[in-house]
Amino acid sequence: MTTKKNLQNDAINSIRFLSADGVQAANSGHPGLPMGSAAIAYTLWKRHLKINPSNPNWLDRDRFVLSGGHGSMLLYSLLYLSGYDLSLSELKNFRQWGSKTPGHPEFGLTPGVETTTGPLGQGFANGVGMAMAEAHLAAKFNKPGFEVINHFVYAIVTDGDLMEGVASEAASLAGHLKLGKLIYLYDDNSISIEGSTDITFTEDQAARFKAYGWHVEHVVDGNNVDEIDLAIKSAKADPRPSLIICKTQIGFGLPTKQGTAAAHGAPPGVEELRKAKQNLGWPTDVDFYVPDEVLSHFREIKVDGGKAESRWQTIFEAYRQDNLELAGELTRRFSGELPEHWKDNLLDFETDEKGMATRKSSGTVLNIIADSIPELVGGSADLAPSNNTWLKSSTAFQSDNPSGRNIHFGVRENGMGSIVNGMAYHGGILPYGATFLVFTDYMRPAVRISALSHLHTIWVYTHDSIGLGEDGPTHQPVEHLVSLRVIPNLSVIRPGDANEVREAWISAVERRSGPTVLVFSRQNLPTIDRSKFASAKGLHNGAYIIADIGEKKPDIILMASGSEVQLIIDAGQKLADNGYGVRLVSFPSWDLFKKQPQTYIDSVLDPTITARLSVEAGIGLGWEKWVGEKGGILSIETFGASAPGNKLFEEYGFTVDNVYQTAKKLLEKGGK
Amino acid sequence: MTTKKNLQNDAINSIRFLSADGVQAANSGHPGLPMGSAAIAYTLWKRHLKINPSNPNWLDRDRFVLSGGHGSMLLYSLLYLSGYDLSLSELKNFRQWGSKTPGHPEFGLTPGVETTTGPLGQGFANGVGMAMAEAHLAAKFNKPGFEVINHFVYAIVTDGDLMEGVASEAASLAGHLKLGKLIYLYDDNSISIEGSTDITFTEDQAARFKAYGWHVEHVVDGNNVDEIDLAIKSAKADPRPSLIICKTQIGFGLPTKQGTAAAHGAPPGVEELRKAKQNLGWPTDVDFYVPDEVLSHFREIKVDGGKAESRWQTIFEAYRQDNLELAGELTRRFSGELPEHWKDNLLDFETDEKGMATRKSSGTVLNIIADSIPELVGGSADLAPSNNTWLKSSTAFQSDNPSGRNIHFGVRENGMGSIVNGMAYHGGILPYGATFLVFTDYMRPAVRISALSHLHTIWVYTHDSIGLGEDGPTHQPVEHLVSLRVIPNLSVIRPGDANEVREAWISAVERRSGPTVLVFSRQNLPTIDRSKFASAKGLHNGAYIIADIGEKKPDIILMASGSEVQLIIDAGQKLADNGYGVRLVSFPSWDLFKKQPQTYIDSVLDPTITARLSVEAGIGLGWEKWVGEKGGILSIETFGASAPGNKLFEEYGFTVDNVYQTAKKLLEKGGK
């Protein structure tokens, strides 16, 4: 007869061996984490996690993040066992082409996977973003007696996560913001790939997290369900974020590998696995074994979850009665639909020779649309006054004011990136993060995952070239534009004047299939006369003809993005004055242009015009595609320097005269 | 009459107002830090720092890092005052084209500048690398009574530094390694760009650093020289790394801006500055004012420093008597010269169809050269067994064994990068750092600075494409090769077999003008038959003809790097079998190829052969340059997927047949 205790053990062993069998079948993967932390996962999922496997999108579910994404089989086992739409055969197909069970969890691919993890520390910081989203939405939408948003964010985190700087950044902010709904279970197995964590990671983690303002609990035996359960209860009751440090043994049960680095990232081996099953009293003659009563036991999560969601639905319906508008807004927000008429208040910027920095017009546009799109929430990594990302109609998000829409991320770019991603994963928020373009280097891991996970996030990067001037080469992005353009599914837009800025923001807000990078200047750029030149709406095509000038049909195409657009207009005018026909192309976005039909592409970059010059104050790589073999690229192939921006533009050849001369040489060389 | 106290005050005010005048003259820069921490800098430089301004390269000098590089005028003021080769007119030329006083300190440009700083947290971690270098060299070279290496590493660090994850990573490792020579003065001014640090940075920094294993001191009044002095003394006596938290006021002296964010990053304004001078009893009628007795007072540093180095020289000469070889080695190491005959033991790898992963041959090569180059010191961010970067003839660098050459960096990529840079800045070590290629994203800030600072560092990146297989898209670099290739002054090499790996290491070791990235495969690659194909020494040219095959002269050029070289050999053979002439080009490095004379470039990429196909398992951007308008690019333009590597190569079209078919189509389309 199965006692409760036995059932519990069997349930934990089911997680353990489903995971290990998956790894062994794939002959690839990480058995150590799932085997060591199976009891932690069991306790959390069976006793605490508020989820409905029948509806992975229930907006008030608890969020669960497996920050150590390499332990993916743990998550897949849990998803299968608790009744998500993930079959046992998918588990058997772990890490195979076309399966829903890739090597590391991928958001959007597998029902119930809340985040894409694997690059360490990211999941840790995503959870912080989720908890911020929860706090913000709760403050915004809850009414007395109607807590329509009230859930926890849990994660299993690892040594590797805690060593990564991005986790430190996020942990410091989480402590500052007193995110009490955040509960992290630290799988403290004392093992990393190179061996015992003693070789490099001897800090006092508990003291460190207390210093961040966290509540810290210890679980001495990571296989003890009741001990884990108590710690989680205590964490739920504490108003601070909680770290529960659970002592575990990596690869628990493996006769020779348990507690060693050998258990981490390679299949245990058939014989080792067989003996592990034997050790723990598990059938050795069958793989992917789950006793019926264990499956029923786990599937209660689905039943209970359905009931929980029903209760929530009831509450939500009652809430809707009294709060029709709020309820509608909450639903709309989670659907990802934009409010109607959100663009109505956007303005045309007037022609202005002096103009303004695109970071400034961005601030203007952002503030206008933020008034129509309440889910726009974000901030800067301590550069808001420079990035112009402060929402004037709102306040700062703080522990005593979580409804504030302005986040002070601090000087924590990678943390900001992953937190912004976490808010997007959570839903209900359209988040943005900002810094200088050069510091995208600090947050590339987060930007990459936003693209991989198809997140609707907006990255605002200002101070976009040597044009920023005196701060010098450490602050001057040279290679950054192109190194963002090469990230798949990332839209990168560098508008050339205030009206293009408006369109760029529209593009970013409307692009729901992935993130957009908006690149803005520090220095003033003229606002182009749109009565003379084409409408800035052309931006949505990625590149567009702003004018064909001169007496005859174009001999040459000049193309530029951002601050260099005015340069080609002026140089083009000079060419036209000298009898040439000149096509001027504003080229804010390669990826948007590539999406256009070939007929459009050819209508802009007329294949019969082979004299083409691109002008962009950065590395020229990739412009070859657009200028062709007979074309020229005016670019910067070295680091910048410290001097006033206009001086640098001169020294690096970004002057009307140099563009003019370079174009003339091209024309003389036989472009036609 | 000038009392000692007055002189001290005048000295501090000289630093303060030289800095502020510099910023005001440039009408750009950051007065807040220098004005607030002038007394800290004064105390350190005048009472403790062991330097010889006449010889900025004295190898046993203390290292001083201004981690908050935005406070550069502080450093320039100190360098001028203490008598480095930096004139007052350079200070007046702050942030101007061609000056030695750029917006942020640049290593190599200004005598006495030990590190390029500005991107926050980098300097913090550089210092950790310097202290590791000191500990390592001391353990290696010192003899009883002859401490030829015995110096401290000091830094002024800021709120922004402490918020950055890279600093957390480095701090944790510094504590673990008990780097007692590391002494950081934290300019705790409670202000960041967005306002009071209370808005986002309320962690208990002292407790956090204690948790890392640091010794923490408090200075209540950051203008109190004696208090600062005592704290530094206590730090020097402590065997742990020290953080001295100094309460300061940003922009000290400015009547309206002191203690506010307004003092941080903009010129104070003429009137505000005049009043500040008035407040602090400083002449208002002259800028860049330094009283003669203050200059003499500071210039004592130069006199004392000269004596200190002389004493050290005497000791070193005595040391040399008994330790001729060691003394010679130490001198050689700091000269950057390589040992003679260091290449003698390198082997030719034999032809082998099965071959080996280039990460494996890299491990073999590295271990051979490490035995001849004792200054090769490095490690991995917890991936040594996968990166094959462990030096078998040495041990782990630990606090009780700092002579170990293997560093366990932990899962701290950005920290690793900046620490490796710090070791290179220090001198005496040729450092390397390793991780998976995809995780270069985490350490781009450090890689960029290594290139900007012309550091001789080596970056080892394995698991270089979708070929790594099952770990899936989070671990598969797709855009990383190109995004490294666009960093100026970074050499990027992706060798195609074991013998190219050997040459790649030679290139990296011999390149003293900047860093080299070595990119290796996870999966086995055949070792090419060099009796049939050209020597791997061609790698040094970046691209080289491995063979022209077929009956006739080449109709087509196939080019590839890394794991795709064998693919073009096989597909080329098939084309040759079908009557085509085929040129096979191994193309491991764009930057090395670009450095070749045009005649060589044309001899490889014969301009008359316009049918050209590049084959590389990553984003294709940039290959346009090499294949030309009639050429083709076989590339990957999306993220990868989780499946066995060979399956992925099939699915993404990296098969002999697909290369063959693609090449045929190109030929038929009218390449000739």
Side-chain angles (χ1 to χ4, degrees):
Chain A
M1 194 194 100
T2 312
T3 64
K4 193 186 156 200
K5 187 82 182 172
N6 282 344
L7 179 61
Q8 196 169 282
N9 275 343
D10 287 354
I12 293 167
N13 277 331
S14 294
I15 296 174
R16 205 168 261 145
F17 290 114
L18 275 182
S19 302
D21 284 344
V23 171
Q24 189 61 45
N27 198 24
S28 170
H30 301 74
L33 188 156
M35 298 184 84
S37 63
I40 297 169
Y42 168 81
T43 311
L44 177 61
W45 280 59
K46 185 67 188 150
R47 298 202 180 175
H48 295 279
L49 202 64
K50 179 178 76 171
I51 48 173
N52 181 9
S54 305
N55 179 14
N57 297 321
W58 171 25
L59 64 86
D60 195 41
R61 69 193 181 278
D62 287 343
R63 301 317 193 258
F64 173 75
V65 174
L66 181 68
S67 188
H70 56 276
S72 55
M73 266 307 301
L74 174 73
L75 181 52
Y76 302 142
S77 300
L78 293 162
L79 292 172
Y80 161 67
L81 290 168
S82 54
Y84 281 84
D85 181 19
L86 189 71
S87 67
L88 190 60
S89 67
E90 289 285 354
L91 270 61
K92 293 178 179 169
N93 241 340
F94 180 51
R95 295 186 158 226
Q96 303 309 306
W97 180 257
S99 80
K100 284 186 182 173
T101 48
H104 294 79
E106 294 177 31
F107 177 76
L109 178 68
T110 317
V113 167
E114 301 277 8
T115 56
T116 298
T117 51
L120 291 169
Q122 296 294 320
F124 185 113
N126 293 156
V128 173
M130 292 173 173
M132 287 171 67
E134 197 272 350
H136 179 77
L137 294 170
K140 186 98 192 172
F141 288 96
N142 288 352
K143 294 287 170 190
F146 296 96
E147 304 220 312
V148 292
I149 301 285
N150 183 8
H151 68 80
F152 288 95
V153 177
Y154 296 98
I156 292 183
V157 304
T158 64
D159 302 308
D161 290 307
L162 297 198
M163 281 190 254
E164 286 287 3
V166 60
S168 302
E169 294 174 7
S172 176
L173 188 58
H176 170 76
L177 294 175
K178 301 188 175 68
L179 300 173
K181 298 282 183 72
L182 196 65
I183 299 177
Y184 282 2
L185 295 139
Y186 167 27
D187 176 35
D188 182 16
N189 61 28
S190 309
I191 291 295
S192 67
I193 291 175
E194 293 186 0
S196 159
T197 51
D198 283 352
I199 58 177
T200 192
F201 190 50
T202 51
E203 62 176 48
D204 181 341
Q205 294 100 347
R208 175 178 149 213
F209 276 80
K210 283 177 192 163
Y212 293 140
W214 286 49
H215 159 237
V216 177
E217 289 277 333
H218 291 271
V219 167
V220 175
D221 176 4
N223 282 324
N224 185 328
V225 170
D226 292 331
E227 196 187 352
I228 299 161
D229 183 47
L230 263 175
I232 296 175
K233 280 179 181 151
S234 151
K236 285 162 105 169
D238 199 284
R240 297 165 293 176
S242 292
L243 184 73
I244 304 175
I245 302 178
C246 309
K247 264 289 161 205
T248 60
Q249 286 168 290
I250 192 169
F252 183 81
L254 294 171
T256 72
K257 295 183 172 175
Q258 167 183 318
T260 77
H264 168 78
V270 174
E271 188 51 22
E272 177 89 359
L273 182 50
R274 197 186 61 75
K275 283 191 183 147
K277 290 178 179 175
Q278 211 167 39
N279 280 349
L280 300 180
W282 205 245
T284 56
D285 53 347
V286 52
D287 293 339
F288 296 98
Y289 172 67
V290 181
D292 289 345
E293 60 273 27
V294 165
L295 195 59
S296 313
H297 180 63
F298 271 113
R299 289 289 159 93
E300 289 164 9
I301 293 175
K302 193 171 181 172
V303 178
D304 296 346
K307 288 181 192 157
E309 186 177 353
S310 291
R311 282 193 300 276
W312 179 87
Q313 283 290 1
T314 308
I315 293 169
F316 187 68
E317 284 313 313
Y319 170 84
R320 191 201 302 273
Q321 300 298 319
D322 290 344
N323 306 279
L324 199 61
E325 207 172 320
L326 274 180
E329 189 189 321
L330 186 63
T331 310
R332 179 190 63 72
R333 282 193 180 198
F334 273 88
S335 76
E337 293 298 330
L338 295 166
E340 279 187 84
H341 307 298
W342 71 273
K343 284 180 280 194
D344 287 2
N345 294 326
L346 283 170
L347 303 166
D348 281 344
F349 291 89
E350 278 176 35
T351 304
D352 180 359
E353 245 177 75
K354 189 191 158 219
M356 63 174 103
T358 49
R359 63 175 170 139
K360 275 229 156 157
S361 42
S362 165
T364 304
V365 171
L366 170 61
N367 268 284
I368 293 171
I369 60 179
D371 286 345
S372 311
I373 308 179
E375 61 266 41
L376 258 175
V377 173
S380 163
D382 194 39
L383 290 169
S386 300
N387 300 141
N388 293 93
T389 43
W390 189 265
L391 303 184
K392 289 171 194 142
S393 62
S394 189
T395 50
F397 184 119
Q398 292 291 359
S399 60
D400 57 1
N401 185 44
S403 63
R405 292 164 63 191
N406 291 295
I407 301 168
H408 291 294
F409 286 108
V411 191
R412 306 175 177 114
E413 295 83 6
N414 205 4
M416 171 176 72
S418 308
I419 288 169
V420 163
N421 287 346
M423 292 192 285
Y425 282 125
H426 183 278
I429 285 176
L430 172 48
Y432 64 90
T435 184
F436 290 161
L437 179 58
V438 79
F439 297 139
T440 53
D441 280 351
Y442 277 80
M443 56 183 297
R444 259 180 100 82
V447 173
R448 182 175 208 258
I449 291 188
S450 72
L452 177 56
S453 288
H454 296 266
L455 296 178
H456 193 185
T457 55
I458 301 175
W459 307 116
V460 180
Y461 298 135
T462 72
H463 295 59
D464 72 348
S465 79
I466 57 166
L468 67 85
E470 293 89 343
D471 271 345
T474 56
H475 284 55
Q476 287 162 358
V478 170
E479 73 277 22
H480 297 75
L481 258 175
V482 61
S483 64
L484 291 165
R485 286 169 176 157
V486 295
I487 298 178
N489 193 37
L490 184 67
S491 186
V492 179
I493 311 180
R494 184 179 186 234
D497 79 341
N499 286 305
E500 284 195 7
V501 167
R502 181 192 61 239
E503 299 305 318
W505 267 104
I506 291 174
S507 180
V509 168
E510 290 183 337
R511 179 171 195 249
R512 284 167 54 189
S513 58
T516 299
V517 162
L518 300 175
V519 176
F520 299 126
S521 73
R522 172 183 186 242
Q523 72 276 23
N524 284 344
L525 306 186
T527 306
I528 295 168
D529 183 350
R530 298 289 171 173
S531 68
K532 205 167 138 198
F533 297 105
S535 159
K537 289 199 199 311
L539 174 135
H540 299 278
N541 297 327
Y544 64 105
I545 302 167
I546 45 177
D548 284 343
I549 56 175
E551 298 292 312
K552 36 190 256 211
K553 77 185 242 324
D555 303 295
I556 187 167
I557 303 175
L558 301 183
M559 55 188 96
S561 78
S563 46
E564 288 72 72
V565 173
Q566 185 62 41
L567 210 49
I568 61 166
I569 292 177
D570 294 345
Q573 194 54 58
K574 198 162 163 186
L575 285 163
D577 294 347
N578 281 274
Y580 293 101
V582 182
R583 169 161 297 176
L584 300 173
V585 172
S586 178
F587 207 145
S589 174
W590 292 2
D591 58 275
L592 293 178
F593 191 52
K594 275 189 212 159
K595 289 212 181 87
Q596 304 311 313
Q598 192 62 42
T599 47
Y600 178 78
I601 291 176
D602 289 345
S603 76
V604 177
L605 303 182
D606 182 338
T608 67
I609 311 172
T610 58
R612 304 175 183 183
L613 178 65
S614 72
V615 182
E616 190 175 67
I619 293 286
L621 193 87
W623 281 105
E624 294 90 347
K625 186 181 177 74
W626 310 117
V627 301
E629 227 159 20
K630 291 190 177 155
I633 299 171
L634 188 57
S635 64
I636 299 176
E637 302 300 322
T638 61
F639 290 109
S642 175
N646 48 8
K647 175 70 178 166
L648 292 172
F649 266 77
E650 249 177 71
E651 292 287 343
Y652 283 79
F654 287 82
T655 59
V656 174
D657 192 55
N658 193 45
V659 173
Y660 170 75
Q661 296 294 350
T662 309
K664 263 193 74 171
K665 266 181 222 151
L666 261 185
L667 282 160
E668 284 158 13
K669 235 176 54 187
K672 64 162 209 172
Chain B
M1 194 195 100
T2 312
T3 64
K4 193 186 157 201
K5 187 80 182 175
N6 283 343
L7 180 60
Q8 197 170 281
N9 275 343
D10 287 354
I12 292 167
N13 278 331
S14 295
I15 296 173
R16 203 167 262 145
F17 290 113
L18 275 182
S19 302
D21 284 344
V23 171
Q24 189 59 45
N27 198 24
S28 169
H30 300 74
L33 187 156
M35 297 183 84
S37 64
I40 297 169
Y42 168 81
T43 312
L44 177 61
W45 279 60
K46 184 68 187 151
R47 298 203 181 174
H48 295 279
L49 202 63
K50 180 178 78 172
I51 48 172
N52 181 9
S54 304
N55 178 15
N57 298 320
W58 171 26
L59 62 88
D60 196 41
R61 71 194 179 277
D62 287 343
R63 300 320 193 257
F64 173 75
V65 175
L66 181 67
S67 188
H70 56 276
S72 56
M73 266 309 300
L74 174 73
L75 181 52
Y76 302 143
S77 301
L78 292 163
L79 292 173
Y80 160 67
L81 289 168
S82 54
Y84 282 83
D85 180 18
L86 188 72
S87 68
L88 189 61
S89 67
E90 288 286 354
L91 270 60
K92 294 178 180 169
N93 240 340
F94 181 49
R95 294 186 156 225
Q96 303 310 305
W97 179 257
S99 80
K100 285 185 183 175
T101 48
H104 294 80
E106 295 177 31
F107 176 77
L109 179 68
T110 317
V113 168
E114 301 278 7
T115 56
T116 298
T117 51
L120 291 170
Q122 296 294 321
F124 185 112
N126 293 156
V128 174
M130 291 173 173
M132 286 172 69
E134 197 270 352
H136 179 78
L137 294 170
K140 185 98 191 173
F141 288 98
N142 288 352
K143 293 287 171 188
F146 297 96
E147 304 219 314
V148 292
I149 302 285
N150 182 9
H151 68 80
F152 288 94
V153 177
Y154 297 98
I156 292 181
V157 303
T158 64
D159 302 309
D161 291 306
L162 298 197
M163 280 191 255
E164 286 286 4
V166 60
S168 302
E169 294 174 6
S172 176
L173 188 59
H176 169 76
L177 294 175
K178 302 187 173 67
L179 300 174
K181 298 282 183 70
L182 197 66
I183 299 176
Y184 283 3
L185 295 138
Y186 167 28
D187 175 36
D188 182 16
N189 61 28
S190 309
I191 290 293
S192 66
I193 291 175
E194 292 186 3
S196 159
T197 51
D198 282 352
I199 58 176
T200 190
F201 190 49
T202 51
E203 61 175 48
D204 181 341
Q205 294 100 346
R208 173 177 150 215
F209 276 80
K210 284 177 192 164
Y212 293 139
W214 287 50
H215 159 238
V216 177
E217 290 275 333
H218 292 272
V219 167
V220 176
D221 177 3
N223 282 326
N224 185 328
V225 170
D226 292 331
E227 196 188 351
I228 299 161
D229 184 47
L230 263 176
I232 295 175
K233 280 180 181 151
S234 151
K236 286 162 103 170
D238 198 283
R240 295 164 296 176
S242 293
L243 184 74
I244 304 174
I245 302 177
C246 308
K247 265 288 161 207
T248 61
Q249 286 168 288
I250 192 168
F252 182 82
L254 294 171
T256 72
K257 296 184 172 176
Q258 167 181 322
T260 77
H264 167 77
V270 173
E271 188 52 20
E272 176 88 0
L273 182 51
R274 197 187 61 75
K275 282 190 186 149
K277 289 177 179 175
Q278 211 167 38
N279 280 349
L280 300 180
W282 205 244
T284 56
D285 53 347
V286 53
D287 292 339
F288 297 97
Y289 173 66
V290 181
D292 289 344
E293 59 275 27
V294 165
L295 195 59
S296 312
H297 180 63
F298 271 114
R299 290 289 160 94
E300 289 163 8
I301 293 174
K302 193 170 181 173
V303 178
D304 296 345
K307 288 180 192 157
E309 186 178 351
S310 290
R311 282 193 300 276
W312 179 87
Q313 283 290 0
T314 309
I315 293 168
F316 187 69
E317 284 313 313
Y319 170 84
R320 191 201 301 275
Q321 299 300 316
D322 291 342
N323 306 278
L324 199 60
E325 208 173 319
L326 275 179
E329 190 189 320
L330 186 64
T331 309
R332 178 189 64 73
R333 282 192 180 199
F334 273 87
S335 77
E337 293 298 329
L338 295 166
E340 278 186 85
H341 308 299
W342 70 273
K343 283 182 279 194
D344 289 2
N345 295 325
L346 283 170
L347 303 164
D348 282 343
F349 289 87
E350 279 177 33
T351 304
D352 179 358
E353 244 177 76
K354 189 191 156 221
M356 63 173 105
T358 49
R359 64 177 167 138
K360 275 228 155 157
S361 43
S362 165
T364 304
V365 170
L366 170 60
N367 268 282
I368 292 170
I369 61 180
D371 285 346
S372 312
I373 307 179
E375 60 267 38
L376 259 175
V377 173
S380 163
D382 195 38
L383 289 170
S386 299
N387 299 143
N388 293 93
T389 42
W390 189 265
L391 305 183
K392 288 170 195 145
S393 62
S394 189
T395 50
F397 184 119
Q398 292 291 359
S399 60
D400 57 1
N401 185 44
S403 63
R405 293 162 62 191
N406 291 294
I407 301 168
H408 291 295
F409 285 108
V411 190
R412 305 174 177 114
E413 295 83 7
N414 206 5
M416 171 175 72
S418 308
I419 288 170
V420 163
N421 287 346
M423 291 192 287
Y425 281 125
H426 183 278
I429 286 176
L430 171 50
Y432 64 91
T435 184
F436 290 162
L437 179 57
V438 79
F439 297 140
T440 53
D441 279 352
Y442 278 80
M443 57 183 294
R444 258 180 100 84
V447 172
R448 182 174 208 260
I449 291 187
S450 73
L452 176 56
S453 288
H454 296 267
L455 296 179
H456 192 185
T457 54
I458 300 174
W459 307 116
V460 179
Y461 297 135
T462 71
H463 294 58
D464 72 348
S465 79
I466 57 164
L468 67 84
E470 291 89 344
D471 272 345
T474 55
H475 283 55
Q476 287 163 358
V478 170
E479 73 277 23
H480 298 73
L481 257 174
V482 62
S483 64
L484 290 165
R485 284 170 177 154
V486 295
I487 298 179
N489 194 37
L490 183 66
S491 186
V492 179
I493 311 179
R494 185 180 186 233
D497 79 341
N499 286 305
E500 283 194 6
V501 166
R502 181 191 61 238
E503 299 306 317
W505 267 104
I506 291 174
S507 179
V509 168
E510 289 183 337
R511 179 169 196 248
R512 285 167 55 188
S513 58
T516 300
V517 162
L518 300 175
V519 176
F520 300 124
S521 72
R522 173 184 185 241
Q523 73 275 23
N524 286 344
L525 306 185
T527 307
I528 294 166
D529 183 350
R530 297 290 171 173
S531 69
K532 206 167 135 196
F533 297 107
S535 159
K537 290 198 198 312
L539 173 136
H540 299 278
N541 297 327
Y544 64 105
I545 302 168
I546 43 176
D548 284 343
I549 56 174
E551 298 292 312
K552 36 191 260 212
K553 77 183 241 326
D555 301 295
I556 188 167
I557 302 174
L558 302 183
M559 56 188 94
S561 78
S563 47
E564 287 71 72
V565 173
Q566 186 63 43
L567 210 49
I568 61 165
I569 292 178
D570 294 344
Q573 194 55 59
K574 199 164 163 184
L575 285 164
D577 293 346
N578 281 274
Y580 294 103
V582 182
R583 169 162 295 177
L584 301 172
V585 171
S586 177
F587 207 146
S589 173
W590 292 2
D591 58 274
L592 293 178
F593 191 53
K594 274 189 211 156
K595 290 212 180 90
Q596 305 310 312
Q598 193 61 41
T599 47
Y600 177 78
I601 291 175
D602 289 345
S603 76
V604 176
L605 302 183
D606 182 339
T608 67
I609 311 172
T610 57
R612 302 175 185 183
L613 179 63
S614 71
V615 182
E616 190 175 66
I619 293 286
L621 193 87
W623 281 105
E624 292 91 348
K625 187 180 175 75
W626 310 117
V627 301
E629 225 158 20
K630 292 190 176 153
I633 298 171
L634 187 56
S635 64
I636 298 177
E637 302 299 322
T638 62
F639 289 109
S642 175
N646 48 9
K647 175 71 178 165
L648 292 171
F649 266 77
E650 249 176 73
E651 292 288 343
Y652 283 80
F654 287 82
T655 60
V656 173
D657 192 54
N658 193 45
V659 174
Y660 169 76
Q661 297 293 351
T662 309
K664 262 193 75 172
K665 266 180 224 151
L666 262 183
L667 282 160
E668 284 157 13
K669 235 176 55 187
K672 63 162 209 173

